[in-house]
Amino acid sequence: MKQISIVFSLLFAISWLSVPSALRAQTLTINSVSGTQFCAGDPVSITFTATGTWLHKNAFTFQLSDAGGSFLTPNFRNIGSLIDTLPGTFTIVSAIPPDALASGNYRFRVMAANPYTVSADNGTDVNIAESPGQLYIHSPCGNAGLVNSQIQFDMSNGLKQDAVIYWDFGANSNPSSTITHWDLFGPTTMYSAAGQKTVTVRAVAPGGCSVSDIFHINVFDCTDPIIPYYANIASADQDLNKWANRSVWVNPGVSVSGGIFDTIFAEAGATVTGGSCNVVYLKPGAMYASSGSYVIYADGASVSTDATKLACPSLTFDYSNAPPNSIMHINDAAVSVLPLVPIQVTPNPTKGFVALQGVPANANMSVMNILGETIRTLKAPDATVDLSMLPAGTYYIRIASIQGVVTKKLVKE
C-alpha cells in the first residue's frame, strides 16, 4: 500500500508539473463595486484584479446573483463582460437589469471563461429596489393648446400602477401641480398666458426609486400669427393628409382638408375641413367645419361648435415674412389702404440694376427668391436695387409700409 501511495503521489506531481506555470496562477479579486444601493436599471460598475495569463478568447464576466444572493441557481445574471488574456486591474461598466426583483440580498462576482475561474463575491449584501417602469408624457393632440382652455396630459402604459406621480405644469398654470397614480388619461391644467410651457413629471415606486420625464407644450393666444417665409400656399382645393408639421397658407375661396400637426392660416373665404391636431387661424369670412384641432378665429369667421377654439375679435395675419403670393396686392386685409402711387420696377427683365418708383417713405423692402426666402433687405428711400451678383431667374421685390403691401415679380436675365 505504501508503494501504491508513493506511485500516486509521483503521478500527481508529474501531472502538476506538466501544467504551464501561467495556468497555475489564475486568481480574480474584487477591488470595489460602485455602490450597495441601486434601483433597477441604474448604472453599476465593478473593479477587479486578475493575476496570471489567460488563454485565447478569455472573457471576464460581471455577474449578479439571484435575489437571495446565490450563484448556484439558474436565476443569477451575466450583466457585463470584457475580453482579455493578460493580468491587470479592470473595470466593467454595466447596469442593473430593469426587471430585477426588489431584494436586499444581492451579491456581485466576476467569472473568467478560459480557464474557468470565479472570484469570491463582493462580501456585502446589495439592495436593489424596483423601478417604477418607463415614463413617457404626451398630450392627446401633439404639443399645442390654447390659453384658458383645459389641456390634458397622458402617459405611456409602461409605468407600474403602484407608482406615485408628481406633476409640475410650469408657469401660468392652474393648477400648477398635482399628485396622481398611473392612468392612461392623466390630469388637466389651464394656462393663463401664451408661450412654450415646460411640464416636469416624476414617478416614484414604493421602494423610493423614481423616473422622470419633461414635456414641452406651446400655448397660443390672440397674438397675430406671423406667416413664415416657408409656408406652403394653397391656391387650389387640396387634401393635406400627406402633410405633417407644415405651415399652410390658404387663399380666398380655397378649401383644404386633412393634415395633422399643421399650422393653417385661412384667408377670408377659405374653408378648412377634416384633419386633427392642427392649429388653425381664421380671418373674417373663413370657415372651420370639423373638430379635433385648435382654432383661433376673428369676428366674422365660422367655427363648428365642437371645436376647441379661442375667439380673437381683431385677429389678422402678420405678412412681414410671408412668401410671394398672388393675393398680396389685392387681398391684404392686414392693410386697409393700398399705395396711392403705383410702384414701378424698371427695367424688367433686367441684367443687373433696377429702379423703383413710387415707393412710400419709410417702407421696408426685401428681395425674395421663388422659395420665398429673403436674400436681401432694403429700406426707403433707396430706389435702386443691384441684382448683378444674383444668378439668372425669377425674383420678387416686396414693399411693405403703413400704406400697403405690394409684391412685384422680377426676372433677372
Side-chain angles (χ1 to χ4, degrees):
M1 292 296 293
K2 184 176 182 181
Q3 290 177 336
I4 294 174
S5 176
I6 292 173
V7 170
F8 275 113
S9 297
L10 288 172
L11 290 174
F12 176 78
I14 292 171
S15 65
W16 173 250
L17 291 173
S18 67
V19 177
S21 59
L23 298 184
R24 299 199 302 267
Q26 317 303 329
T27 63
L28 295 172
T29 304
I30 294 176
N31 300 327
S32 63
V33 178
S34 57
T36 58
Q37 300 280 336
F38 297 93
C39 295
D42 278 357
V44 61
S45 64
I46 191 168
T47 300
F48 63 96
T49 298
T51 63
T53 301
W54 305 83
L55 297 183
H56 182 58
K57 293 185 178 181
N58 174 66
F60 300 112
T61 302
F62 184 11
Q63 296 181 324
L64 173 68
S65 72
D66 66 16
S70 174
F71 293 94
L72 300 178
T73 71
N75 296 324
F76 75 89
R77 307 277 194 98
N78 296 326
I79 61 173
S81 65
L82 60 84
I83 297 175
D84 212 307
T85 59
L86 298 176
T89 298
F90 306 92
T91 297
I92 300 177
V93 178
S94 185
I96 303 295
D99 60 348
L101 299 176
S103 173
N105 300 313
Y106 283 101
R107 295 289 177 107
F108 296 120
R109 76 176 186 183
V110 177
M111 181 202 78
N114 195 9
Y116 174 78
T117 310
V118 294
S119 72
D121 67 35
N122 60 298
T124 303
D125 284 342
V126 174
N127 182 72
I128 297 177
E130 198 171 13
S131 167
Q134 296 180 339
L135 179 63
Y136 173 69
I137 302 304
H138 56 96
S139 166
C141 206
N143 62 341
L146 303 178
V147 294
N148 302 320
S149 292
Q150 291 289 342
I151 299 174
Q152 185 177 57
F153 300 92
D154 296 346
M155 66 185 70
S156 62
N157 58 6
L159 199 65
K160 295 178 180 176
Q161 297 187 17
D162 56 0
V164 179
I165 308 163
Y166 299 86
W167 297 77
D168 183 344
F169 299 113
N172 310 118
S173 58
N174 183 24
S176 59
S177 62
T178 190
I179 300 174
T180 64
H181 289 274
W182 181 87
D183 192 331
L184 278 178
F185 302 102
T188 62
T189 193
M190 182 182 295
Y191 292 96
S192 60
Q196 186 182 76
K197 311 299 181 181
T198 300
V199 180
T200 56
V201 189
R202 185 169 65 97
V204 182
C209 292
S210 65
V211 291
S212 299
D213 192 24
I214 295 177
F215 181 74
H216 298 288
I217 187 165
N218 296 306
V219 178
F220 296 87
D221 61 8
C222 288
T223 301
D224 290 344
I226 299 173
I227 297 180
Y229 72 88
Y230 51 81
N232 296 273
I233 298 172
S235 56
D237 294 352
Q238 58 187 284
D239 188 343
L240 304 179
N241 279 330
K242 62 181 180 180
W243 294 13
N245 295 309
R246 304 289 295 272
S247 291
V248 185
W249 184 9
V250 188
N251 281 353
V254 174
S255 177
V256 298
S257 62
I260 182 171
F261 304 132
D262 290 331
T263 302
I264 300 175
F265 307 90
E267 293 284 352
T271 301
V272 181
T273 62
S276 62
C277 299
N278 299 308
V279 176
V280 181
Y281 291 97
L282 304 178
K283 286 179 67 172
M287 175 184 295
Y288 177 77
S290 187
S291 61
S293 290
Y294 300 102
V295 183
I296 303 171
Y297 64 100
D299 277 354
S302 176
V303 187
S304 58
T305 57
D306 54 352
T308 302
K309 53 194 174 182
L310 176 65
C312 301
S314 58
L315 178 75
T316 188
F317 298 161
D318 182 341
Y319 298 100
S320 59
N321 203 34
N325 189 346
S326 60
I327 71 167
M328 289 302 292
H329 66 287
I330 59 173
N331 189 39
D332 184 9
V335 180
S336 58
V337 181
L338 293 176
L340 298 177
V341 179
I343 295 175
Q344 297 180 354
V345 179
T346 57
N348 189 10
T350 180
K351 294 185 180 296
F353 288 86
V354 294
L356 304 178
Q357 296 178 334
V359 177
N362 300 318
N364 292 311
M365 297 178 289
S366 57
V367 180
M368 297 176 290
N369 60 22
I370 59 174
L371 299 177
E373 298 170 333
T374 299
I375 56 178
R376 187 168 301 173
T377 58
L378 306 164
K379 192 173 183 67
D382 291 343
T384 302
V385 181
D386 181 7
L387 303 179
S388 59
M389 300 301 292
L390 298 178
T394 300
Y395 297 91
Y396 297 88
I397 297 181
R398 185 174 184 278
I399 303 101
S401 73
I402 60 173
Q403 292 176 289
V405 178
V406 173
T407 302
K408 290 290 187 178
K409 182 178 179 180
L410 177 65
V411 177
K412 166 71 185 308
E413 296 180 331

